[in-house]
Structures are given as structure tokens and as C-alpha cells.
Amino acid sequence: MEALGPVVMRQRWESLLFLHWEMPTDSIQEMLPEGLYVDTYSGQAYIGVVPFLMRKVRPRFLFCVPGISNFLELNLRTYVVDDEGRKGVWFFSLDANQRLAVWIARKCFALPYYFAKMKYKRGDDGFAYFDSYRAGSAAQRFGYQKTSKAEEAREGSFSHFLVERYSLFSSDEQTGRLYLGHIRHRPYRLATVEISSYSEELFKLSGFECPGRLPDHQIYAEPVDVDIHPMRRLR
């Protein structure tokens, strides 16, 4: 088993909504750095949009700081494997409404974070609403409501393939260096979900054609406490 290195950060992820669309494998592959390849399920490739709440974000040995440790995130991701068969997540973009978090993630983890104005609320109709606006782009809204009891995904299932990912790759924009990092949390407890609104704006911002249809897979995940391990240079 690959050494993970020390825990460098701890955080809690809440109200995770996973929306996935099947996309042409070639269109994803051409957007990946050298050394990474599209990971598929039954021969199909997927891109996911994931809005959620980041809570209690802090370095391992420090306390949470009001106004800094809690913020919102919205990311566009796909699933990849490297030359040595290591599977993980590749992020095309990650938006957050905390400027310091954006700077740290870019500086320390080589991740493509952007600052965006965001808000989250629960409506009287029982739906949760997640709004995001990155400068120069259209506003995005996601409305959703959990509709079933949550349970762990069966290993080998489609949902398990999409969400149970504990490694991530990143690439330095200046040097092209490739990095690998790891996270750890208990398995997600997943529930079916009804969506009342969603956005495809992140596809356009990352250079993809918008799917133009409802997500092929949608699911809600209950909160998890997450340990973050350092990124390690691969090349």
C-alpha cells in the first residue's frame, strides 16, 4: 500500500450533491495532462459537478478560525488513472467563496481554484439552494432535496465508482509538474435526490460543450470528516 504521508489538514464536508453526465472519452482525454488517462465505467466516461459546504477547515495542529474555516465550494471533476494504475480525481476547476482558501489551494496543492460569490440556504419547500457566481460567468443555481434513507454504496456499483475516490491528481500551471495527493474519510452514506435546478456553466468555463440534458446520475452524500495528506510530486 502506498504511503500517504502525514495528515496536514482536517475538514468536514457537508450537503454534498453529485451530478454526473456521460461525456465523450476523447473530449475529456484531450483536456488531461500527459500521464493521466480517463477512467471509465462500463466503457463510459463521466464529468461531475459537485456543490457542497466546507466546514472546520484547518491545519492539523490549529483551531478553526471564524470567517476562514467555513466556506462553500463548487467543482468540476472527472476520474482518471495514471501510468502505474493509480486511480483518482482530476479537477478542471474548483470555485470557493473564501479568498485565502483559494490562494492556499493554488500555492500548496497546485489545484485550479477560483474565487466566486456563493450562498447556501434551505427553503420553506424543503429544498436546499446553492448559488454561485464567478466573475465573468453566468450565475449558477442548484436546488435539491434528499428523497431516501442514506446508505453506503455497494462496492463495484456505479455510485461507488463515482464517489468513493481517495486520491487526486494536480498539475502545476507554470511547470507542468504532476502531483498526487490522498484524502481519507469513512465511506459516504448516499441517498437519492430530487433536483429542481442545476447549471452546466462550469462545462463552458472549462472548455467543454454543455451536455444540454438532465444529469445521467444524481445523488446526495451525508457529511464526512476528512483528513488531507500532502501532495507528492510524480514528475
Side-chain angles (χ1 to χ4, degrees):
M1 183 177 180
E2 186 169 356
L4 302 183
V7 174
V8 294
M9 295 190 72
R10 289 200 164 104
Q11 48 197 245
R12 181 174 175 82
W13 299 347
E14 300 179 359
S15 300
L16 294 114
L17 175 66
F18 293 93
L19 303 177
H20 284 92
W21 286 262
E22 180 186 328
M23 297 288 288
T25 302
D26 290 347
S27 69
I28 300 176
Q29 184 62 52
E30 67 185 17
M31 304 289 274
L32 298 178
E34 181 181 353
L36 293 182
Y37 311 93
V38 179
D39 190 13
T40 63
Y41 186 86
S42 296
Q44 304 300 323
Y46 294 87
I47 289 181
V49 174
V50 186
F52 67 105
L53 285 62
M54 298 274 277
R55 294 289 182 260
K56 302 180 181 179
V57 179
R58 62 182 177 85
R60 178 182 175 186
F61 294 112
L62 295 180
F63 295 104
C64 297
V65 179
I68 296 178
S69 294
N70 299 320
F71 52 92
L72 305 177
E73 182 175 310
L74 172 65
N75 63 60
L76 186 74
R77 58 193 254 173
T78 195
Y79 307 104
V80 296
V81 60
D82 72 358
D83 288 315
E84 296 189 22
R86 292 172 293 208
K87 295 175 178 286
V89 177
W90 174 262
F91 292 100
F92 295 108
S93 71
L94 307 98
D95 291 5
N97 64 338
Q98 218 300 325
R99 293 186 185 277
L100 180 59
V102 169
W103 183 85
I104 291 173
R106 282 185 166 271
K107 186 76 173 178
C108 300
F109 296 96
L111 288 167
Y113 266 84
Y114 300 87
F115 177 77
K117 296 180 180 180
M118 297 177 170
K119 62 181 180 179
Y120 172 88
K121 67 176 182 178
R122 286 195 172 274
D124 295 335
D125 54 3
F127 278 76
Y129 295 96
F130 187 109
D131 297 329
S132 179
Y133 175 72
R134 190 198 301 179
S137 72
Q140 304 178 68
R141 164 162 279 204
F142 301 87
Y144 62 94
Q145 182 182 47
K146 183 174 69 171
T147 57
S148 74
K149 181 179 178 181
E151 57 184 9
E152 292 181 13
R154 177 178 52 82
E155 188 170 355
S157 67
F158 186 29
S159 292
H160 191 277
F161 169 85
L162 293 172
V163 306
E164 293 296 338
R165 299 274 171 163
Y166 296 89
S167 298
L168 66 151
F169 295 91
S170 68
S171 179
D172 187 283
E173 293 179 344
Q174 303 294 325
T175 65
R177 292 169 180 164
L178 190 65
Y179 296 88
L180 171 66
H182 302 281
I183 66 167
R184 282 294 176 265
H185 59 75
R186 65 166 175 75
Y188 283 120
R189 292 183 59 80
L190 305 172
T192 57
V193 67
E194 178 185 353
I195 56 173
S196 61
S197 55
Y198 68 94
S199 173
E200 300 177 8
E201 180 71 10
L202 288 183
F203 284 85
K204 184 167 61 177
L205 292 173
S206 293
F208 291 101
E209 289 189 13
C210 294
R213 64 180 189 276
L214 288 168
D216 298 304
H217 184 274
Q218 54 203 48
I219 207 158
Y220 170 89
E222 292 190 334
V224 289
D225 293 309
V226 185
D227 288 340
I228 309 294
H229 297 270
M231 304 295 288
R232 176 171 63 85
R233 181 180 170 182
L234 297 179
R235 60 164 171 78

